[in-house]
Amino acid sequence: MPAPSPFAAAVRALRADRVLLLVVCVCIPVDILVALFDSQEDSVIQGPVSHVASWTLTLAACAMLAARHRWPVAAGVLTLLIAGAYFPLSSVDGSVPISAFIVCLYGLARSGQLTAALTLTVVSMLALGYTELVHFGSGERHIDAASVILLGGWLLSVIAFGHAMQVRAAYQHEAEQRALAAERERDARARSAATEERLRIARELHDVLGHNISLISVQAAAALHRSAKRPGETAELLQALTFVRDTSKEALRELRATLGVLRQVDEEPPTAPAAGLDRLGELADRARATGLDVTVEVTGEPVALPPQVSLAAYRIVQESLTNVTRHAPGATRADVTVAYGPGELCLTVEDDGRAGRSGAGGGDVADTATDGAGSGIGGMRERARALGGHLTAAPTPTGYRVHARLPLPE
């Protein structure tokens, strides 16, 4: 592919730089008209050399305009030198050099280099004053005092306008960054909420499947053991299979209700009610079917519980009874106490089993291993903490005790 010609490159530069295009298309034609009808008779050089010098300096000023974005300070210094040399050498009172200098001053202020812009302005005004007051001390002044003051005011106004545009651009950039930061924070919160929801669903699945399947396993194992000892007796086996069937249906129903949050918008929601503390009797009956003597005691004046508190209380009791049947095979009794107090709900599940626990009844082996993973005792603690309460699980001289306190909204 052939390299682009210098003319094509110049055309592209003009199209990309509107200020340069304005100077080339407006100021240069005006300078040509001025050169045709007027000329300076007091220029340092005369004749064709003066015309060559004026148009050479004009093109040099345009070149500095094209380079002002890449080298703003150098472009400002060179345009000042070009403008200082143009008027003594040129026979045309053109506007391109001084226009280029003003544009470069604006670019310096716009890019945040306010000190350089002010320095060039002061230098230009001192040079102009020296030229008018000292060099032309004979009285032949080209610019009167009012014009000098007016020019200085114009230069300072251009710098002030460029600085204001720089401040405005910085404010817009900061606002955009704040908006991006807010959007990133919003996305992070959404991801955090999704993670918390996944953890909640995982706890729900652990509670539903862990409790019911543990009861199914214990009941089926006991029935098979008794059936092996007494092959001709099928009553206990039928009773165990009936329990397995009912518990499996219950586990499937709760599993469907738990996974209902993952349904699509156009799917019908589950019609079965979610688990709650009002179903504590059913939970105790299923635990009794495994041979565990479960007692339920309710103290205080029962009040209507928020759904999240009722569900958390149900799951805590369910997990506690599951731990008793799964990890304390020596347990024969479990006492469940539900106490309604002023602004809080207290749950206590205490058993008399020590077999299968570490030490002298010192904690659930399985749950201790998974305490930080969001299941077992750790999952119960997370449920209580999510509602602003707390849960303790510790061994007792005769077994194990789980105590939870859940605050109730006013």
Side-chain angles (χ1 to χ4, degrees):
M1 183 176 179
S5 63
F7 178 76
V11 171
R12 283 197 299 271
L14 284 176
R15 290 178 178 176
D17 195 336
R18 296 182 179 179
V19 174
L20 181 59
L21 181 63
L22 179 65
V23 171
V24 172
C25 296
V26 176
C27 294
I28 290 182
V30 171
D31 289 354
I32 294 176
L33 292 177
V34 171
L36 292 176
F37 295 100
D38 190 15
S39 64
Q40 293 183 183
E41 297 179 356
D42 53 355
S43 61
V44 177
I45 55 178
Q46 300 291 333
V49 178
S50 175
H51 291 287
V52 172
S54 62
W55 290 113
T56 301
L57 293 174
T58 297
L59 294 178
C62 293
M64 291 302 101
L65 278 181
R68 72 187 187 279
H69 295 297
R70 189 170 184 178
W71 302 290
V73 177
V77 173
L78 291 177
T79 50
L80 175 60
L81 296 177
I82 291 172
Y86 177 83
F87 292 100
L89 299 178
S90 174
S91 60
V92 179
D93 193 8
S95 60
V96 173
I98 189 63
S99 300
F101 177 63
I102 291 175
V103 172
C104 288
L105 285 182
Y106 170 81
L108 284 172
R110 179 67 174 78
S111 62
Q113 304 183 66
L114 190 61
T115 302
L118 290 175
T119 301
L120 289 178
T121 301
V122 172
V123 170
S124 64
M125 297 307 299
L126 290 177
L128 181 62
Y130 173 81
T131 302
E132 292 297 321
L133 298 179
V134 178
H135 185 67
F136 297 100
S138 60
E140 298 180 359
R141 298 183 59 182
H142 293 74
I143 304 176
D144 55 11
S147 299
V148 173
I149 295 175
L150 184 61
L151 178 61
W154 271 105
L155 295 180
L156 291 177
S157 299
V158 167
I159 294 175
F161 181 67
H163 179 64
M165 294 300 294
Q166 190 267 338
V167 171
R168 178 175 178 272
Y171 174 77
Q172 289 180 342
H173 177 72
E174 183 180 359
E176 292 175 356
Q177 293 301 316
R178 283 200 298 265
L180 291 175
E183 185 176 354
R184 287 193 294 267
E185 183 179 1
R186 187 166 56 250
D187 294 340
R189 288 180 179 176
R191 289 193 297 268
S192 177
T195 301
E196 292 178 0
E197 183 66 14
R198 286 195 295 270
L199 292 176
R200 187 191 68 81
I201 293 174
R203 287 196 297 267
E204 293 288 337
L205 291 176
H206 169 267
D207 293 341
V208 171
L209 297 179
H211 174 74
N212 291 294
I213 294 178
S214 295
L215 295 180
I216 291 172
S217 176
V218 171
Q219 187 70 14
L224 290 174
H225 179 71
R226 289 192 294 267
S227 178
K229 288 185 176 181
R230 298 186 293 272
E233 299 180 7
T234 59
E236 293 183 357
L237 183 59
L238 290 176
Q239 181 181 0
L241 292 177
T242 302
F243 174 81
V244 168
R245 181 198 63 189
D246 296 339
T247 306
S248 301
K249 290 174 61 177
E250 177 66 16
L252 184 59
R253 186 200 64 78
E254 292 191 7
L255 182 61
R256 288 172 178 169
T258 302
L259 296 179
V261 295
L262 302 179
R263 291 176 176 268
Q264 301 296 328
V265 178
D266 56 350
E267 289 183 315
E268 296 183 359
T271 57
L277 202 57
D278 54 345
R279 301 180 57 198
L280 187 58
E282 301 177 16
L283 188 62
D285 291 338
R286 289 201 299 271
R288 292 189 188 102
T290 64
L292 187 66
D293 184 12
V294 180
T295 63
V296 178
E297 181 182 1
V298 179
T299 63
E301 183 179 354
V303 296
L305 298 177
Q308 64 272 21
V309 176
S310 180
L311 176 61
Y314 178 87
R315 295 306 187 196
I316 290 173
V317 175
Q318 182 186 51
E319 181 65 28
S320 300
L321 294 178
T322 300
N323 287 340
V324 175
T325 59
R326 182 189 299 172
H327 304 295
T332 60
R333 181 180 180 85
D335 298 324
V336 179
T337 303
V338 180
Y340 292 90
E344 66 177 9
L345 174 69
C346 294
L347 304 169
T348 304
V349 180
E350 189 169 357
D351 64 81
D352 61 350
R354 286 179 293 178
R357 311 266 177 123
S358 61
D364 191 321
V365 176
D367 288 335
T368 302
T370 60
D371 196 9
S375 61
I377 295 176
M380 292 190 290
R381 286 200 183 103
E382 289 298 327
R383 285 186 179 277
R385 189 180 296 116
L387 298 175
H390 69 274
L391 182 141
T392 58
T396 64
T398 59
Y400 204 77
R401 183 174 182 266
V402 176
H403 179 74
R405 185 189 68 83
L406 304 178
L408 299 178
E410 296 180 0

PDB file of all heavy atoms in Angstrom, residues 103-121:
ATOM      1  N   VAL A 103      -4.755  31.184  20.329  1.00  0.00           N
ATOM      2  CA  VAL A 103      -5.251  29.804  20.386  1.00  0.00           C
ATOM      3  C   VAL A 103      -4.318  28.926  21.214  1.00  0.00           C
ATOM      4  O   VAL A 103      -4.763  28.077  22.002  1.00  0.00           O
ATOM      5  CB  VAL A 103      -5.422  29.244  18.958  1.00  0.00           C
ATOM      6  CG1 VAL A 103      -5.735  27.756  19.005  1.00  0.00           C
ATOM      7  CG2 VAL A 103      -6.532  29.994  18.230  1.00  0.00           C
ATOM      8  N   CYS A 104      -2.998  29.125  21.075  1.00  0.00           N
ATOM      9  CA  CYS A 104      -2.049  28.339  21.862  1.00  0.00           C
ATOM     10  C   CYS A 104      -2.155  28.668  23.346  1.00  0.00           C
ATOM     11  O   CYS A 104      -2.024  27.775  24.201  1.00  0.00           O
ATOM     12  CB  CYS A 104      -0.624  28.590  21.367  1.00  0.00           C
ATOM     13  SG  CYS A 104      -0.276  27.837  19.761  1.00  0.00           S
ATOM     14  N   LEU A 105      -2.393  29.943  23.675  1.00  0.00           N
ATOM     15  CA  LEU A 105      -2.616  30.292  25.087  1.00  0.00           C
ATOM     16  C   LEU A 105      -3.841  29.574  25.643  1.00  0.00           C
ATOM     17  O   LEU A 105      -3.824  29.049  26.767  1.00  0.00           O
ATOM     18  CB  LEU A 105      -2.772  31.809  25.227  1.00  0.00           C
ATOM     19  CG  LEU A 105      -1.519  32.664  25.131  1.00  0.00           C
ATOM     20  CD1 LEU A 105      -1.867  34.134  25.346  1.00  0.00           C
ATOM     21  CD2 LEU A 105      -0.477  32.223  26.150  1.00  0.00           C
ATOM     22  N   TYR A 106      -4.924  29.562  24.865  1.00  0.00           N
ATOM     23  CA  TYR A 106      -6.126  28.851  25.304  1.00  0.00           C
ATOM     24  C   TYR A 106      -5.846  27.358  25.500  1.00  0.00           C
ATOM     25  O   TYR A 106      -6.299  26.744  26.477  1.00  0.00           O
ATOM     26  CB  TYR A 106      -7.230  29.047  24.276  1.00  0.00           C
ATOM     27  CG  TYR A 106      -8.439  28.157  24.525  1.00  0.00           C
ATOM     28  CD1 TYR A 106      -9.395  28.499  25.470  1.00  0.00           C
ATOM     29  CD2 TYR A 106      -8.596  26.961  23.826  1.00  0.00           C
ATOM     30  CE1 TYR A 106     -10.489  27.679  25.722  1.00  0.00           C
ATOM     31  CE2 TYR A 106      -9.689  26.138  24.066  1.00  0.00           C
ATOM     32  CZ  TYR A 106     -10.625  26.504  25.002  1.00  0.00           C
ATOM     33  OH  TYR A 106     -11.706  25.689  25.245  1.00  0.00           O
ATOM     34  N   GLY A 107      -5.076  26.766  24.559  1.00  0.00           N
ATOM     35  CA  GLY A 107      -4.755  25.350  24.688  1.00  0.00           C
ATOM     36  C   GLY A 107      -3.949  25.036  25.939  1.00  0.00           C
ATOM     37  O   GLY A 107      -4.160  24.018  26.599  1.00  0.00           O
ATOM     38  N   LEU A 108      -2.999  25.951  26.271  1.00  0.00           N
ATOM     39  CA  LEU A 108      -2.220  25.743  27.495  1.00  0.00           C
ATOM     40  C   LEU A 108      -3.113  25.783  28.733  1.00  0.00           C
ATOM     41  O   LEU A 108      -3.004  24.926  29.624  1.00  0.00           O
ATOM     42  CB  LEU A 108      -1.122  26.801  27.594  1.00  0.00           C
ATOM     43  CG  LEU A 108       0.099  26.616  26.684  1.00  0.00           C
ATOM     44  CD1 LEU A 108       0.994  27.834  26.740  1.00  0.00           C
ATOM     45  CD2 LEU A 108       0.879  25.379  27.097  1.00  0.00           C
ATOM     46  N   ALA A 109      -3.988  26.783  28.807  1.00  0.00           N
ATOM     47  CA  ALA A 109      -4.886  26.871  29.962  1.00  0.00           C
ATOM     48  C   ALA A 109      -5.865  25.705  29.987  1.00  0.00           C
ATOM     49  O   ALA A 109      -6.196  25.191  31.059  1.00  0.00           O
ATOM     50  CB  ALA A 109      -5.636  28.208  29.932  1.00  0.00           C
ATOM     51  N   ARG A 110      -6.316  25.289  28.816  1.00  0.00           N
ATOM     52  CA  ARG A 110      -7.282  24.187  28.739  1.00  0.00           C
ATOM     53  C   ARG A 110      -6.656  22.867  29.177  1.00  0.00           C
ATOM     54  O   ARG A 110      -7.351  21.990  29.742  1.00  0.00           O
ATOM     55  CB  ARG A 110      -7.779  24.073  27.289  1.00  0.00           C
ATOM     56  CG  ARG A 110      -8.765  22.958  27.023  1.00  0.00           C
ATOM     57  CD  ARG A 110     -10.084  23.217  27.725  1.00  0.00           C
ATOM     58  NE  ARG A 110     -11.080  22.227  27.363  1.00  0.00           N
ATOM     59  CZ  ARG A 110     -11.135  20.997  27.842  1.00  0.00           C
ATOM     60  NH1 ARG A 110     -10.223  20.602  28.716  1.00  0.00           N
ATOM     61  NH2 ARG A 110     -12.093  20.166  27.471  1.00  0.00           N
ATOM     62  N   SER A 111      -5.352  22.703  28.949  1.00  0.00           N
ATOM     63  CA  SER A 111      -4.679  21.466  29.341  1.00  0.00           C
ATOM     64  C   SER A 111      -4.168  21.501  30.777  1.00  0.00           C
ATOM     65  O   SER A 111      -3.497  20.560  31.210  1.00  0.00           O
ATOM     66  CB  SER A 111      -3.513  21.179  28.389  1.00  0.00           C
ATOM     67  OG  SER A 111      -2.547  22.221  28.452  1.00  0.00           O
ATOM     68  N   GLY A 112      -4.443  22.585  31.506  1.00  0.00           N
ATOM     69  CA  GLY A 112      -4.043  22.672  32.903  1.00  0.00           C
ATOM     70  C   GLY A 112      -2.699  23.317  33.140  1.00  0.00           C
ATOM     71  O   GLY A 112      -2.256  23.404  34.288  1.00  0.00           O
ATOM     72  N   GLN A 113      -2.017  23.793  32.102  1.00  0.00           N
ATOM     73  CA  GLN A 113      -0.706  24.431  32.259  1.00  0.00           C
ATOM     74  C   GLN A 113      -0.890  25.940  32.363  1.00  0.00           C
ATOM     75  O   GLN A 113      -0.485  26.718  31.501  1.00  0.00           O
ATOM     76  CB  GLN A 113       0.195  24.052  31.084  1.00  0.00           C
ATOM     77  CG  GLN A 113       0.347  22.543  30.918  1.00  0.00           C
ATOM     78  CD  GLN A 113       1.293  22.167  29.811  1.00  0.00           C
ATOM     79  OE1 GLN A 113       2.493  22.418  29.880  1.00  0.00           O
ATOM     80  NE2 GLN A 113       0.750  21.563  28.773  1.00  0.00           N
ATOM     81  N   LEU A 114      -1.512  26.331  33.463  1.00  0.00           N
ATOM     82  CA  LEU A 114      -1.864  27.732  33.667  1.00  0.00           C
ATOM     83  C   LEU A 114      -0.622  28.592  33.854  1.00  0.00           C
ATOM     84  O   LEU A 114      -0.572  29.747  33.383  1.00  0.00           O
ATOM     85  CB  LEU A 114      -2.798  27.841  34.877  1.00  0.00           C
ATOM     86  CG  LEU A 114      -3.460  29.197  35.117  1.00  0.00           C
ATOM     87  CD1 LEU A 114      -4.328  29.581  33.939  1.00  0.00           C
ATOM     88  CD2 LEU A 114      -4.286  29.162  36.402  1.00  0.00           C
ATOM     89  N   THR A 115       0.383  28.080  34.528  1.00  0.00           N
ATOM     90  CA  THR A 115       1.606  28.864  34.768  1.00  0.00           C
ATOM     91  C   THR A 115       2.302  29.217  33.463  1.00  0.00           C
ATOM     92  O   THR A 115       2.751  30.355  33.259  1.00  0.00           O
ATOM     93  CB  THR A 115       2.553  28.069  35.679  1.00  0.00           C
ATOM     94  OG1 THR A 115       1.873  27.757  36.911  1.00  0.00           O
ATOM     95  CG2 THR A 115       3.798  28.873  35.991  1.00  0.00           C
ATOM     96  N   ALA A 116       2.396  28.238  32.557  1.00  0.00           N
ATOM     97  CA  ALA A 116       3.039  28.510  31.266  1.00  0.00           C
ATOM     98  C   ALA A 116       2.262  29.539  30.471  1.00  0.00           C
ATOM     99  O   ALA A 116       2.854  30.441  29.837  1.00  0.00           O
ATOM    100  CB  ALA A 116       3.161  27.210  30.468  1.00  0.00           C
ATOM    101  N   ALA A 117       0.938  29.463  30.488  1.00  0.00           N
ATOM    102  CA  ALA A 117       0.117  30.435  29.747  1.00  0.00           C
ATOM    103  C   ALA A 117       0.302  31.837  30.310  1.00  0.00           C
ATOM    104  O   ALA A 117       0.458  32.815  29.553  1.00  0.00           O
ATOM    105  CB  ALA A 117      -1.351  30.017  29.798  1.00  0.00           C
ATOM    106  N   LEU A 118       0.297  31.976  31.633  1.00  0.00           N
ATOM    107  CA  LEU A 118       0.471  33.302  32.236  1.00  0.00           C
ATOM    108  C   LEU A 118       1.874  33.832  31.979  1.00  0.00           C
ATOM    109  O   LEU A 118       2.066  35.040  31.735  1.00  0.00           O
ATOM    110  CB  LEU A 118       0.196  33.218  33.742  1.00  0.00           C
ATOM    111  CG  LEU A 118      -1.263  32.973  34.142  1.00  0.00           C
ATOM    112  CD1 LEU A 118      -1.378  32.791  35.648  1.00  0.00           C
ATOM    113  CD2 LEU A 118      -2.157  34.122  33.684  1.00  0.00           C
ATOM    114  N   THR A 119       2.875  32.951  32.015  1.00  0.00           N
ATOM    115  CA  THR A 119       4.249  33.391  31.752  1.00  0.00           C
ATOM    116  C   THR A 119       4.389  33.928  30.333  1.00  0.00           C
ATOM    117  O   THR A 119       5.000  34.991  30.108  1.00  0.00           O
ATOM    118  CB  THR A 119       5.220  32.223  31.976  1.00  0.00           C
ATOM    119  OG1 THR A 119       5.092  31.759  33.323  1.00  0.00           O
ATOM    120  CG2 THR A 119       6.652  32.657  31.726  1.00  0.00           C
ATOM    121  N   LEU A 120       3.842  33.224  29.354  1.00  0.00           N
ATOM    122  CA  LEU A 120       3.906  33.697  27.968  1.00  0.00           C
ATOM    123  C   LEU A 120       3.166  35.017  27.795  1.00  0.00           C
ATOM    124  O   LEU A 120       3.609  35.908  27.041  1.00  0.00           O
ATOM    125  CB  LEU A 120       3.322  32.643  27.032  1.00  0.00           C
ATOM    126  CG  LEU A 120       4.161  31.376  26.840  1.00  0.00           C
ATOM    127  CD1 LEU A 120       3.441  30.390  25.937  1.00  0.00           C
ATOM    128  CD2 LEU A 120       5.532  31.712  26.256  1.00  0.00           C
ATOM    129  N   THR A 121       2.051  35.181  28.492  1.00  0.00           N
ATOM    130  CA  THR A 121       1.299  36.440  28.397  1.00  0.00           C
ATOM    131  C   THR A 121       2.102  37.600  28.960  1.00  0.00           C
ATOM    132  O   THR A 121       2.189  38.685  28.358  1.00  0.00           O
ATOM    133  CB  THR A 121      -0.027  36.303  29.152  1.00  0.00           C
ATOM    134  OG1 THR A 121      -0.785  35.241  28.590  1.00  0.00           O
ATOM    135  CG2 THR A 121      -0.833  37.580  29.081  1.00  0.00           C
TER     136      THR A 121
END
